[in-house]
Amino acid sequence: MPFEDPAARPLRVGVVGLGYAGRTHLTSYLPIPGVEVVALAGLEPDRLQALGAEHGVPHLHARWEDLVARDDLDAISVCSPTHLHAPITIAALESGRHVLCEKPLARTGAEGEQMVRAAAKAGRVLQIAFNHRERGDVHTLKQHIDDGGLGDIYYAKTRWVRRSGIPGLGSWFTNKEMSGGGPMIDLGVHMLDLTLFLLGEPQVTSVSANTYSELGSRGRGGTAGTDKQQVGSGFEVEDLGTAFLRLAGGGTLLLEASWATYRPDGDDFGVTLYGTEGGAEINVPNYAWEDTLRLYSDVADAPAVIAPRVGRGEGHRAVVRSFVEKVRGDDWAQHIGTDALARARIIDACYASAREGREVAVAADSIGLG
């Protein structure tokens, strides 16, 4: 058989998981030239058949193990419940596939480290889907920061809070063993990633946190009509988490994440930054994208507020495209998920601080690859 040049054929992809994330990954691959989604895996037979037929995916599997065992895949998207991120990702990497995994990286930093080590050993790309940093307002603010518009940023606040948004009471989300935690690991990790990205990746030196389980534990705060996988679990995680993070150089970051609190209805996330030359806020009610960014400064010694026009951003489409570009590049060793592992270590510290009632240090070598 003649040698087949990988660059001369399509990049062949499989997707594990048929929920919102899996469907979004699937449809994000389809417009990219030279990429073919050739396999799907999921436990919902009707949805599996429907997605395969709608998008022309020829190979459909109930078990993720059967998809990973295929010999015709170059890359795999892992969009399963969190407890399966590590086993699927490690199996895929060890079989020579590149992996795009949904957030969070894993249930714990220890699991995440196993995944990163597997990527390093295999010499394959491991990327985590932090789609909210691909918003238009975030890109605009990042450019303003990089241009010096805020000066030195010394204080940041970030939040993702909901009135009634527990993603399925009794589902895998509320099972500690399957999810790793509640809104801190589910929503908080998004805002942690977005804020550290904006700040230029400062080192987090210590964390003081607390968690609460006041509504979910009483059957309140659930999302109506959810299709999340039910496992008959009690409410084993927090419904609100708060954290005070110390940053190297003296800066601080406040993080708040809730699935259910008595507050105005809906979903609300954002970030506030205070710098020596200006300030900024992103406020996103119910996933809006227009009129969400404000920049604060002085003009002619008078306070000035700027409301830039921003694009919508591409979210998962940008994430999937950047993953494909990394796979097609020649520096795979630079993209093995170390940024996501750093986030996982910080979330670990948040939960440890809340559990132990004390401030917890975050090791300078939070990656732990030796």
Side-chain angles (χ1 to χ4, degrees):
M1 178 181 293
F3 172 76
E4 182 182 18
D5 180 2
R9 59 167 172 76
L11 184 73
R12 297 168 299 200
V13 178
V15 177
V16 178
L18 308 177
Y20 170 78
R23 298 193 300 270
T24 304
H25 283 231
L26 167 61
T27 56
S28 296
Y29 282 116
L30 297 177
I32 303 176
V35 175
E36 293 182 358
V37 180
V38 300
L40 298 176
L43 295 175
E44 305 90 339
D46 292 344
R47 186 181 296 176
L48 181 63
Q49 293 296 325
L51 286 172
E54 179 181 359
H55 300 293
V57 181
H59 304 292
L60 308 177
H61 304 279
R63 301 171 68 249
W64 67 261
E65 294 92 340
D66 294 332
L67 183 144
V68 172
R70 299 187 64 85
D71 61 4
D72 59 350
L73 297 178
D74 303 300
I76 294 175
S77 269
V78 178
C79 306
S80 64
T82 306
H83 71 289
L84 293 175
H85 285 188
I88 299 173
T89 295
I90 292 170
L93 291 166
E94 288 179 344
S95 66
R97 281 57 179 272
H98 305 278
V99 174
L100 175 61
C101 181
E102 264 300 318
K103 65 80 200 169
L105 173 65
R107 294 175 296 182
T108 65
E111 275 191 341
E113 183 174 323
Q114 294 175 19
M115 297 163 70
V116 171
R117 286 184 180 277
K121 183 177 180 180
R124 292 295 185 267
V125 172
L126 170 58
Q127 180 175 328
I128 308 306
F130 287 119
N131 55 297
H132 287 288
R133 67 160 71 177
E134 301 297 342
R135 291 178 54 90
D137 45 20
V138 173
H139 279 212
T140 298
L141 178 53
K142 177 62 172 170
Q143 186 62 59
H144 184 65
I145 292 169
D146 291 348
D147 289 343
L150 302 190
D152 295 325
I153 301 169
Y154 51 88
Y155 184 71
K157 297 185 291 185
T158 190
R159 73 195 183 283
W160 192 328
V161 291
R162 292 173 176 170
R163 169 64 175 84
S164 184
I166 298 172
L169 286 164
S171 76
W172 68 266
F173 271 94
T174 65
N175 181 282
K176 181 67 163 61
E177 179 65 21
M178 299 181 77
S179 65
M184 185 62 79
I185 197 172
D186 177 41
L187 305 178
V189 73
H190 263 311
M191 304 317 295
L192 177 65
D193 173 76
L194 187 156
T195 307
L196 294 179
F197 167 70
L198 287 172
L199 295 178
E201 302 297 336
Q203 177 192 337
V204 176
T205 60
S206 66
V207 169
S208 183
N210 212 342
T211 58
Y212 306 87
S213 179
E214 300 296 333
L215 301 183
S217 59
R218 291 184 283 161
R220 302 179 185 178
T223 301
T226 180
D227 63 352
K228 305 302 182 185
Q229 177 189 352
Q230 292 292 308
V231 297
S233 175
F235 194 81
E236 302 175 353
V237 297
E238 81 279 4
D239 49 33
L240 168 66
T242 63
F244 175 90
L245 285 65
R246 298 186 187 275
L247 309 179
T252 55
L253 166 61
L254 298 185
L255 172 63
E256 179 184 12
S258 78
W259 280 340
T261 49
Y262 284 113
R263 61 174 308 279
D265 195 19
D267 236 302
D268 174 53
F269 64 86
V271 60
T272 300
L273 305 177
Y274 298 157
T276 56
E277 302 300 322
E281 288 185 326
I282 293 176
N283 291 302
V284 182
N286 299 316
Y287 300 93
W289 63 272
E290 296 178 291
D291 197 34
T292 56
L293 174 61
R294 294 291 184 272
L295 306 176
Y296 303 101
S297 63
D298 290 328
V299 175
D301 295 325
V305 181
I306 300 171
R309 289 187 176 181
V310 300
R312 183 167 192 157
E314 295 185 281
H316 272 97
R317 286 185 179 271
V319 169
V320 169
R321 187 171 59 249
S322 71
F323 172 66
V324 170
E325 290 169 354
K326 292 179 177 69
V327 169
R328 287 173 168 167
D330 56 6
D331 59 347
W332 296 346
Q334 302 302 311
H335 306 294
I336 58 172
T338 52
D339 57 342
L341 179 53
R343 275 71 166 144
R345 298 290 194 200
I346 296 165
I347 297 296
D348 274 357
C350 289
Y351 282 130
S353 174
R355 184 172 58 249
E356 299 169 15
R358 64 180 182 87
E359 188 161 358
V360 171
V362 179
D365 180 19
S366 62
I367 302 306
L369 291 177

